[in-house]
C-alpha cells in the first residue's frame, strides 16, 4: 500500500473530486481527514465508507476561508495523529453568472475559498511538515486558470490562475522540504456542473479530444501520483488533466 499510515487531509472531500481523492488515499492505507463546510451527512457517509479500508479516518467541519476554522482543524488533526504527511487543497466554489450580473460579492466569496483557503491551510499545515522536514501539498486548480476561460466564470478563472501562481510561491517558500504542485483538471463530471444546460455541456464535450468529461477518479489518480515518492523530483509544477481540451 503506497500511503500506509500516512496522514492525509483532503479539503472539500464530502463530494465530487475530493471525495474520490479521499477514497483513493484510504484504499492505499492512509489515515484520511475528510473536510466539509455544509454537507455533513455526505461527509459522515464517506468517512464511514473509508473506515472499512483499515485506516483511522476522521471527519471535520471547517470552512477553509475562515482562519479560526482552519486553526481548529489543524490542531485537531495534530492532537490525534501528531503530524500531517499530505495536504490536498481541493475545496473550491464557482458562482457561474453572466458577466453583467457579476458582483463584488461573487469575487470575494470565490477568492475567499479558492485562494485564501489554500493560503490558510498551507500556512498552518506547513508548520508541522517543516518541523519534520517532509510533506507534500497538492492544489486543485483548473484549466480555467490557464486558457479555457469564460466570462461568466471570470472570478473563478482568476482564482484558479492565482492558485497556479501561489503553487510556485509556496514551493519556493517551503523548499527543499515540501513539494508543492497543482493539478489543473478540464471538465470533470461532478455536482459543480449540474446547473449547466445539456446542450452547453454537449458542446463542451465536443471540444475535448477524448469526447467526454473526466471521472473524479481520473483526477484522484494524478493527485496520488504527485503525493507519492514517484513524483519526488516534481516541484512547483501544474499538471493538466483535461483529455486533450483545446488541442483540436
Ligand atoms: P463540488 O462542488 O462537487 O464539491 C466541492 C467540495 O468543496 C465540497 O466537498 C464542498 O463542501 C467543499 N467546499 C466548498 N467550499 C468550501 C469551504 N469554504 N470550506 C470547506 N469546504 C468547502 O466540486 P468539484 O468536486 O467539482 O471540485 C473540486 C475542486 O476541483 C474545486 O477546487 C474545483 O474548482 C476543481 N475543479 C473542478 C472541475 C469540474 O469540472 N468539476 C474542473 C476543474 C477544477 P460541502 O459539500 O460541505 O459544500
Amino acid at each position: 500500500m503506497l500511503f500506509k499510515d500516512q496522514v492525509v487531509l483532503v479539503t472539500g472531500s464530502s463530494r465530487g473530486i475530493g471525495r474520490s481523492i479521499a477514497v483513493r488515499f484510504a484504499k492505499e492505507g492512509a489515515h484520511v481527514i475528510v473536510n466539509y463546510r455544509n454537507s455533513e451527512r455526505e461527509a459522515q457517509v464517506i468517512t464511514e465508507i473509508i473506515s472499512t479500508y483499515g485506516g483511522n479516518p476522521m471527519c471535520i467541519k471547517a470552512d477553509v476561508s475562515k482562519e479560526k476554522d482552519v486553526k481548529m482543524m489543524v490542531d485537531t488533526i495534530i492532537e490525534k495523529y501528531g503530524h500531517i504527511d499530505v495536504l490536498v487543497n481541493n475545496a473550491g466554489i464557482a458562482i457561474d453568472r453572466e458577466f453583467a450580473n457579476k458582483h463584488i460579492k461573487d469575487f470575494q466569496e470565490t477568492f475567499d475559498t479558492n485562494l485564501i483557503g489554500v493560503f490558510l491551510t498551507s500556512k498552518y499545515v506547513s508548520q508541522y511538515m517543516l518541523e519534520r522536514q517532509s510533506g507534500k501539498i497538492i492544489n486543485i486548480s483548473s484549466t480555467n486558470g490557464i486558457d479555457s476561460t469564460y466570462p461568466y466564470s471570470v472570478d473563478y478563472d482568476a482564482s484558479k490562475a492565482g492558485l497556479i501562481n501561489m503553487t510556485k510561491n509556496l514551493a519556493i517558500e517551503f523548499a527543499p522540504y515540501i513539494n508543492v504542485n497543482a493539478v489543473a483538471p478540464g471538465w470533470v463530471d461532478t455536482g459543480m456542473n449540474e446547473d449547466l444546460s445539456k446542450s452547453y455541456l454537449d458542446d463542451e464535450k465536443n471540444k475535448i479530444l477524448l469526447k467526454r468529461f473526466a471521472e473524479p477518479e481520473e483526477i484522484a489518480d494524478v493527485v496520488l501520483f504527485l503525493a507519492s515518492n514517484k513524483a519526488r523530483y516534481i516541484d512547483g509544477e501544474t499538471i493538466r488533466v483535461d483529455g486533450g481540451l483545446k488541442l483540436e
Side-chain angles (χ1 to χ4, degrees), residues 160-201:
K160 293 300 182 179
L163 185 51
I164 290 171
N165 182 278
M166 195 191 293
T167 299
K168 294 177 194 162
N169 270 317
L170 295 177
I172 293 167
E173 178 64 20
F174 302 148
Y177 302 118
I178 306 173
N179 298 54
V180 187
N181 290 294
V183 176
W187 285 100
V188 187
D189 212 354
T190 73
M192 188 172 264
N193 307 317
E194 69 192 1
D195 294 335
L196 301 171
S197 75
K198 186 177 175 321
S199 64
Y200 175 74
L201 293 176

Side-chain angles (χ1 to χ4, degrees), residues 2-185:
L2 264 181
F3 295 94
K4 179 101 183 99
D5 289 332
Q6 290 201 24
V7 179
V8 178
L9 167 59
V10 185
T11 68
S13 39
S14 50
R15 298 183 281 120
I17 298 170
R19 178 189 157 110
S20 287
I21 295 169
V23 169
R24 288 285 282 106
F25 272 112
K27 283 184 175 169
E28 292 294 343
H31 307 303
V32 178
I33 297 92
V34 173
N35 158 250
Y36 68 101
R37 179 169 59 169
N38 298 316
S39 308
E40 180 156 2
R41 210 181 71 81
E42 287 90 337
Q44 279 169 356
V45 168
I46 192 63
T47 310
E48 275 164 34
I49 291 171
I50 64 179
S51 69
T52 64
Y53 299 130
N56 185 11
M58 146 179 234
C59 179
I60 305 181
K61 176 181 168 78
D63 181 338
V64 295
S65 70
K66 299 211 159 65
E67 189 158 17
K68 71 169 179 20
D69 282 24
V70 172
K71 276 169 99 165
M72 173 280 295
M73 174 163 67
V74 175
D75 287 350
T76 308
I77 297 167
I78 295 300
E79 206 172 292
K80 177 162 174 173
Y81 304 98
H83 70 280
I84 299 173
D85 295 285
V86 180
L87 164 64
V88 183
N89 283 309
N90 166 80
I93 59 165
I95 305 169
D96 292 335
R97 261 194 243 293
E98 285 185 359
F99 184 86
N101 296 325
K102 281 274 179 197
H103 301 294
I104 291 174
K105 195 167 166 286
D106 299 329
F107 267 81
Q108 283 169 338
E109 280 179 23
T110 305
F111 276 49
D112 279 352
T113 290
N114 297 7
L115 272 179
I116 292 173
V118 176
F119 161 67
L120 289 173
T121 52
S122 302
K123 179 176 170 182
Y124 286 101
V125 169
S126 64
Q127 295 170 6
Y128 297 97
M129 291 179 167
L130 290 171
E131 256 176 39
R132 300 177 79 226
Q133 301 193 346
S134 160
K136 308 270 192 185
I137 298 178
I138 296 112
N139 299 325
I140 309 299
S141 178
S142 167
T143 52
N144 289 42
I146 305 172
D147 54 12
S148 56
T149 46
Y150 304 85
Y152 66 70
S153 57
V154 57
D155 42 1
Y156 176 84
D157 298 359
S159 77
K160 293 300 182 179
L163 185 51
I164 290 171
N165 182 278
M166 195 191 293
T167 299
K168 294 177 194 162
N169 270 317
L170 295 177
I172 293 167
E173 178 64 20
F174 302 148
Y177 302 118
I178 306 173
N179 298 54
V180 187
N181 290 294
V183 176

Side-chain angles (χ1 to χ4, degrees), residues 191-221:
M192 188 172 264
N193 307 317
E194 69 192 1
D195 294 335
L196 301 171
S197 75
K198 186 177 175 321
S199 64
Y200 175 74
L201 293 176
D202 285 344
D203 285 348
E204 290 298 308
K205 271 178 205 161
N206 271 328
K207 295 182 192 164
I208 303 170
L209 290 187
L210 299 184
K211 300 294 172 213
R212 63 176 179 84
F213 289 177
E215 294 299 328
E217 294 73 24
E218 292 172 310
I219 309 304
D221 282 340

